[in-house]
Amino acid sequence: MTDFYSLLPALFLGLGGMILLLGGVLAKGSNTTPAVTFGAVLLLIIAAVLSLLAPDALLFGGLLKTSLFTRYADTLVYLGAIAALILSLDYNKREQISRFEYPILVLFAVLGMTVMISAADMMSLYIGFELQSLALYICAALARDSVRSTEAGLKYFVLGALASGLLLYGISLVYGFAGTTNFAALAGIFQQGAGSGAIAGVVFVLVGLAFKISAAPFHMWAPDVYEGAPSSVTALFATAPKAAAMALLLSVMAGPFGHLTGQWEILIQILAVLSMVIGGLAAIGQSNIKRLFAYSSIGHMGYALMGLVTGTVAGIQASLVYIAIYVVMSFGAFACVIAMRRNGQAVEQIGDLAGLAAEHPGFAFAFAVLMWSMAGIPPLAGFFAKLYVFYTAFNAGYETLAIIAIVTSVISAFYYLRVIKVMYFDKGQPQFDKTSAGAGFVMAVSAFAVMFFVVIPGPLMTAAGAAAKALMG
Amino acid sequence: MNQLGFPILSLITYLPLLGAFIVATLSGNDEKVACKARNVSLIFSLIVLALGVFLWTQFNPAIAGYQFVEVMPWLSGVNIEYRMGVDGISLFLIMLTLLLTPVAIIASHGIKTRARSFFAAMLLLETMTVGMFAATDFVLFYVFFEAVLLPMYLIIGVWGGEKRVYAAVKFFLFTLAGSLFMLLAVVWIWRNLGTTNMAVMTHARIPAQAQTWLFLAFLAAFGVKAAVWPLHTWLPDAYGEAPVPGTIMLAAVLSKMGAYGFLRFAIPMLPQASASFEPLMFVLGVVAVIYISYVALAQTDMKRMIAYSSVAHMGVIIIGLFTFTVEGVEGALFQMLSHGLVIAGLFICAGVITSRGETLTLRNLGSLAVNMPVFAAALLFFTLANMGLPGTSGFIGEILVIVGALKVNFWVSLLGGAGMVLGVTYSLVLVRAVLFEKYARPKLMELKDLTGREYAMLLPLAVLVMWLGVYPSSFTHAFDAPVAALVQAHTAALNSHTAIAMVTAQ
């Protein structure tokens, strides 16, 4: 019975998704998108509650494992997906890409993510990974009449397939050399170290996952896909899958490959440094706000990876805190992007924001708070996220890494500051359309969370600490 | 909980924040909102000023440590607490902030556009500044120290002069880059000392090697904030471009944050490094005093001239701090207060001219003494105080610093003291150009003398400048105890290290 309760959220999502699909198909004539979206949000909320209540369990003979860690990561995924669905409701209607399939695809993607987060075996990992990827490829090409969107979908598909291929190749190598795909068994085998063949497998797995979190140098797809996909879909890409892939990376690196820290640590360091540097430098020249956020998210992944480098409970905890805050900031920032519409058209240039503070002070303030938070200026949440990773990196003796991170965060402050500068200092009349209730709500929630994190930082810290302990054992 | 039974420091810190929320939610047409916002923010700033005065009356000057201490759990899991407290050093800096915020708000009469945001930003600035002076946990201090940037960035960039965007971005990036070095220092201390409680940190013994690096990090952070030459280049732009109330807060309060940081962290925590960097700091201070005085002399704009004079005075403060004598440190502290009041008075005088529609280019001004006699008297008074005329607060600060420096090094004392003479030159140039030279334009004849609002700003400042100048001990007695403790600890730390060094050498 315990197993059943642990499985319940996934069952709920899968069955619910199919029922919604059936409903959408049967009620063909009328516009069912709003109803299906609400249904999907409701399902996600219920699944989130169920997953929080679910007990720890090892399911299907060791294929899946739920723990505090998976619950923590699942919650972030649900949060991101719910925010993205709320944002999509109005945006997709205005862009005339309102299809009832979209929320259902999101549901299946979320199902894939939860499977991959709780994977305790390479096979279940791959199944979850592919389920979410396939659903997301379709989402990227949602605006099928738009060249940019289809291009984004195709690019995402081709590069994503490459990543999946690398991941699968890596898994096969690991299996070949270790003789098992089970995480616990692998951890036992690698306790005595690993041969170069198995290490090659680990590297391939790492590369496949680095693709998904768009860590440099495997980030090339991100700016184009972010820019090309409809903004509501980009909002999803920047949150839920990032959190899921990052959680998976943490659980794989700390779990089955936990004893090979000496081998992969340097790789993670390289990924982290490159991501921070590229995310910081390449964003400076961007004029499209979605591309800017693509680079900014590459940079954020670099900071989040810093926690993993240390390979300690405190480090994993810092990474988990970072991802949680990143997810909240990201959906807020994309709510702002989605609210950028003039005469019924979405506008995406940073220059379009000129004069926003005079016209929509609330909108501009929320946007500014989120930008400052991403830049890591106290007292906003982004600062504490950075502080924790700096602290743990420093604590574990990675001073150089911490110094590089600090330098890149000054560099990246420059472009976040530019967005604020354009909104507050430049003269202009954005004349944006009225912000939809959904976008306004998401924006407000995110800005408030970011502002008031400083008052009660405890709960998130404690939760992340418990999750990290559950992962590391 | 503290001796009063209620968290007075938090109250003083966060009441303006509440005010900022109320101001931000006001509604009505532009004219009305501007008026309402000004009144609400004035009321809030006066309430906290009253609380501050109450705090002062309850303050016990005999205690060297922190008073009115508040402790609450904050960042659980990493062992960082929310700690507030004041001692004689921070008490008057808090009072200075509390006094100058209402003055700056009265000086914001000309702000009509986006008034809600402006007054909310001013109140936010007050919260952050007071919080910074009252914080006694290093991480909390850092949070407030950095957060000051946010409202100030907007105040300069939105309501500033012609080159406001350049000035705002320069200000932000300079200070951010500086303070991130301090973040490294924070993290280092956090790891190696295991605590960020400032009362504990100051007595920790840090290895001499690490002290050097930490000192350089602090120098980057506090040096930029205090505009120590050559890290001052953001200052003339920021002061020149910010609107008058913003300039008042920047020059009178925010520039003290840097000097306060040196006094709070660099000197007590890093005695060896402070001692070995003493010559460098003296050189920087002397260069600021002499070179910047000449630069001030060359300015053609009233606001920029005052801005440079402010950098020169910061040089005197730095010299005073690094003498490590009771006279020098007290003089520096006194000079911080005095400079805050005087520079605010001078910038208000500049604001008087701009509010009458004139520019501050010295060439376009002249003969204002003829039909603005009271204004002329005020400007002359603050200028004289600025150059340290006996009887005004400026004199006490400078003489103490000179005496302190004399105990350490004759030349530093002489060259630092030269600032008083050089101050006379640019001050007199300023007074002559603004008040006495013959009419540049007939329109200057029609300007009206001070209004009631301007009296309300200038009178309290003038009274305080006289008070500090005539009866300084009503202020110095509060910082006698902490400064004596600081100097004593510094000497003891140095001597013990020499003793150990001698033992190991043998």
Side-chain angles (χ1 to χ4, degrees):
Chain A
M1 210 53 198
T2 332
D3 290 5
F4 175 72
Y5 285 124
S6 302
L7 203 58
L8 203 55
L11 287 176
F12 219 81
L13 282 179
L15 289 175
M18 286 179 209
I19 292 167
L20 281 180
L21 183 63
L22 220 57
V25 174
L26 290 178
K28 194 141 178 65
S30 54
N31 180 14
T32 48
T33 316
V36 174
T37 311
F38 280 125
V41 170
L42 201 65
L43 274 175
L44 284 170
I45 292 172
I46 295 172
V49 174
L50 286 177
S51 102
L52 283 176
L53 296 175
D56 291 358
L58 201 61
L59 304 166
F60 301 122
L63 278 180
L64 297 176
K65 187 183 169 197
T66 61
S67 67
L68 270 172
F69 173 77
T70 65
R71 260 167 265 153
Y72 181 92
D74 282 349
T75 312
L76 294 183
V77 168
Y78 291 131
L79 218 58
I82 290 169
L85 279 180
I86 294 176
L87 290 176
S88 79
L89 195 58
D90 182 73
Y91 180 86
N92 289 4
K93 197 169 92 198
R94 294 201 204 180
E95 290 287 298
Q96 296 173 330
I97 49 171
S98 179
R99 295 181 216 296
F100 75 88
E101 291 93 338
Y102 176 66
I104 295 164
L105 283 169
V106 173
L107 279 184
F108 287 127
V110 169
L111 178 62
M113 291 173 208
T114 57
V115 170
M116 92 194 198
I117 289 168
S118 40
D121 190 288
M122 289 293 180
M123 297 325 291
S124 49
L125 179 159
Y126 188 74
I127 289 171
F129 193 81
E130 279 303 282
L131 179 57
Q132 67 112 16
S133 297
L134 282 171
L136 291 180
Y137 300 146
I138 308 172
C139 291
L142 188 68
R144 59 185 178 205
D145 300 328
S146 141
V147 179
R148 284 202 317 172
S149 176
T150 30
E151 186 198 322
L154 199 61
K155 203 171 255 173
Y156 193 29
F157 174 67
V158 172
L159 289 173
L162 182 66
S164 298
L166 289 173
L167 180 70
L168 203 53
Y169 187 57
I171 292 174
S172 72
L173 277 176
V174 169
Y175 175 64
F177 282 92
T180 175
T181 53
N182 184 280
F183 281 5
L186 281 173
I189 290 167
F190 288 140
Q191 206 154 16
Q192 286 88 40
S196 48
I199 296 294
V202 173
V203 172
F204 277 114
V205 170
L206 182 58
V207 168
L209 294 178
F211 250 106
K212 279 291 156 188
I213 59 165
S214 73
F218 309 105
H219 64 284
M220 277 80 85
W221 60 273
D224 293 338
V225 172
Y226 271 51
E227 188 190 353
S231 297
S232 55
V233 179
T234 316
L236 178 69
F237 284 178
T239 52
K242 281 271 165 82
M246 196 70 203
L248 179 61
L249 189 63
L250 293 179
S251 81
V252 169
M253 287 300 146
F257 304 148
H259 296 292
L260 304 177
T261 322
Q263 276 83 12
W264 54 252
E265 175 207 300
I266 181 75
L267 297 177
I268 301 279
Q269 274 199 56
I270 293 171
L271 287 179
V273 169
L274 281 179
S275 302
M276 290 187 289
V277 170
I278 289 176
L281 292 178
I284 293 176
Q286 303 303 325
S287 59
N288 181 299
I289 190 107
K290 280 159 78 182
R291 284 187 86 83
L292 181 97
F293 282 136
Y295 283 109
S296 127
S297 91
I298 293 168
H300 283 303
M301 288 303 128
Y303 294 106
L305 282 174
M306 272 174 70
L308 177 59
V309 171
T310 64
T312 59
V313 173
I316 303 278
Q317 179 186 11
S319 281
L320 287 173
V321 170
Y322 201 100
I323 303 168
I325 291 174
Y326 163 79
V327 166
V328 174
M329 293 191 298
S330 281
F331 66 63
F334 275 98
C336 295
V337 172
I338 278 173
M340 288 168 63
R341 302 185 68 85
R342 187 184 296 144
N343 302 327
Q345 292 289 317
V347 290
E348 291 172 2
Q349 299 301 310
I350 295 174
D352 291 321
L353 289 164
L356 186 69
E359 221 173 84
H360 300 284
F363 179 5
F365 180 69
F367 208 165
V369 163
L370 292 165
M371 290 298 93
W372 270 323
S373 175
M374 285 197 175
I377 311 285
L380 304 167
F383 165 72
F384 292 97
K386 286 207 167 106
L387 183 68
Y388 289 138
V389 289
F390 291 166
Y391 174 59
T392 44
F394 218 85
N395 238 349
Y398 296 91
E399 284 95 348
T400 327
L401 193 63
I403 290 171
I404 293 172
I406 283 183
V407 171
T408 54
S409 78
V410 181
I411 297 171
S412 55
F414 176 74
Y415 61 79
Y416 293 120
L417 215 55
R418 193 170 54 128
V419 176
I420 301 172
K421 185 214 104 183
V422 169
M423 287 191 299
Y424 275 85
F425 305 165
D426 289 0
K427 295 265 180 295
Q429 276 153 350
Q431 292 181 320
F432 283 161
D433 299 348
K434 202 171 170 312
T435 307
S436 71
F441 171 74
V442 173
M443 210 188 288
V445 166
S446 155
F448 272 105
V450 163
M451 272 194 291
F452 291 104
F453 176 76
V454 58
V455 184
I456 28 174
L460 181 66
M461 281 298 290
T462 323
K469 257 193 214 101
L471 179 68
M472 304 285 281
Chain B
M1 198 39 78
N2 58 56
Q3 61 263 49
L4 292 179
F6 70 100
I8 185 161
L9 286 172
S10 292
L11 205 61
I12 293 178
T13 308
Y14 300 114
L15 261 184
L17 194 65
L18 178 70
F21 272 109
I22 294 175
V23 167
T25 52
L26 290 174
S27 60
N29 63 23
D30 279 1
E31 189 90 355
K32 263 194 196 146
V33 162
C35 185
K36 267 198 258 176
R38 197 172 48 245
N39 290 339
V40 171
S41 46
L42 187 62
I43 290 168
F44 269 92
S45 59
L46 287 176
I47 292 173
V48 287
L49 176 60
L51 277 172
V53 173
F54 175 68
L55 181 77
W56 186 12
T57 58
Q58 300 296 309
F59 183 82
N60 181 354
I63 302 172
Y66 294 116
Q67 304 181 32
F68 309 103
V69 173
E70 294 166 24
V71 184
M72 272 199 303
W74 183 37
L75 300 182
S76 55
V78 286
N79 200 13
I80 288 178
E81 285 162 326
Y82 172 89
R83 284 180 175 274
M84 299 279 246
V86 284
D87 64 359
I89 294 171
S90 49
L91 173 72
F92 287 113
L93 291 168
I94 292 175
M95 290 302 296
L96 186 70
T97 315
L98 295 180
L99 174 75
L100 286 172
T101 306
V103 169
I105 286 170
I106 299 174
S108 322
H109 192 67
I111 305 287
K112 302 277 186 223
T113 52
R114 289 149 76 177
R116 268 176 306 199
S117 319
F118 180 83
F119 289 104
M122 287 300 280
L123 288 174
L124 209 59
L125 188 64
E126 184 174 24
T127 291
M128 300 310 173
T129 320
V130 173
M132 192 220 61
F133 286 128
T136 59
D137 182 276
F138 201 4
V139 173
L140 188 66
F141 170 86
Y142 184 83
V143 167
F144 282 121
F145 187 84
E146 282 263 277
V148 166
L149 285 179
L150 308 183
M152 208 57 228
Y153 176 66
L154 294 183
I155 289 174
I156 299 174
V158 178
W159 295 277
E162 228 165 274
K163 279 170 32 190
R164 61 203 162 84
V165 176
Y166 171 75
V169 173
K170 193 173 177 184
F171 164 74
F172 196 102
L173 289 180
F174 253 77
T175 8
L176 180 68
S179 33
L180 281 174
F181 285 104
M182 182 165 67
L183 183 62
L184 271 180
V186 173
V187 172
W188 190 93
I189 286 165
W190 188 1
R191 176 182 70 168
N192 288 29
L193 305 186
T195 177
T196 52
N197 178 353
M198 278 156 58
V200 179
M201 263 164 60
T202 30
H203 299 297
R205 285 181 183 268
I206 297 170
Q209 173 77 22
Q211 282 198 17
T212 309
W213 291 109
L214 287 176
F215 190 87
L216 288 173
F218 285 141
L219 182 60
F222 300 134
V224 168
K225 253 314 194 257
V228 173
W229 183 88
L231 304 172
H232 70 284
T233 59
W234 60 270
L235 184 143
D237 290 311
Y239 284 21
E241 298 305 317
V244 170
T247 316
I248 293 172
M249 294 307 284
L250 262 176
V253 182
L254 267 57
S255 65
K256 308 299 170 293
M257 290 164 57
Y260 175 76
F262 278 121
L263 189 55
R264 211 27 128 212
F265 299 102
I267 295 173
M269 268 175 58
L270 314 170
Q272 277 81 33
S274 310
S276 57
F277 278 100
E278 187 184 28
L280 174 76
M281 299 310 289
F282 279 160
V283 169
L284 295 184
V286 167
V287 169
V289 169
I290 295 179
Y291 167 70
I292 299 292
S293 295
Y294 276 107
V295 176
L297 197 56
Q299 295 306 309
T300 54
D301 179 280
M302 183 173 168
K303 235 172 153 188
R304 285 182 84 91
M305 191 181 249
I306 304 171
Y308 275 107
S309 97
S310 168
V311 179
H313 281 98
M314 291 312 291
V316 175
I317 293 174
I318 295 296
I319 292 175
L321 290 180
F322 281 85
T323 58
F324 312 122
T325 58
V326 174
E327 293 85 356
V329 175
E330 284 209 357
L333 255 172
F334 202 84
Q335 181 71 358
M336 278 154 83
L337 300 179
S338 148
H339 175 258
L341 298 171
V342 171
I343 209 85
L346 283 172
F347 278 120
I348 290 169
C349 288
V352 167
I353 298 176
T354 46
S355 70
R356 282 163 179 68
E358 294 299 322
T359 60
L360 292 171
T361 318
L362 291 177
R363 202 184 306 148
N364 285 338
L365 295 169
S367 295
L368 291 182
V370 177
N371 54 340
M372 298 173 75
V374 187
F375 167 74
L379 181 61
L380 191 63
F381 174 77
F382 285 111
T383 318
L384 290 176
N386 195 32
M387 61 199 199
L389 191 79
T392 62
S393 57
F395 175 72
I396 311 286
E398 301 226 2
I399 198 78
L400 279 172
V401 170
I402 291 172
V403 169
L406 200 57
K407 280 187 168 176
V408 181
N409 186 320
F410 169 73
W411 289 104
V412 171
S413 163
L414 181 73
L415 293 172
M420 286 176 97
V421 182
L422 290 168
V424 175
T425 55
Y426 61 76
S427 302
L428 291 185
V429 166
L430 179 76
V431 167
R432 192 191 63 184
V434 176
L435 297 180
F436 297 120
E437 251 169 321
K438 65 174 187 299
Y439 291 125
R441 282 170 304 124
K443 215 182 144 250
L444 290 174
M445 267 299 271
E446 295 152 22
L447 297 186
K448 294 266 186 314
D449 209 343
L450 297 186
T451 62
R453 185 180 314 109
E454 286 153 0
Y455 275 114
M457 292 187 278
L458 289 170
L459 258 182
L461 293 181
V463 168
L464 276 169
V465 166
M466 290 296 283
W467 183 6
L468 261 80
V470 175
Y471 192 53
S473 63
S474 54
F475 297 88
T476 49
H477 82 283
F479 42 74
D480 276 340
V483 168
L486 180 87
V487 171
Q488 214 167 23
H490 182 84
T491 329
L494 280 186
N495 289 340
S496 78
H497 265 258
T498 358
I500 291 168
M502 280 163 70
V503 169
T504 39
Q506 281 163 4

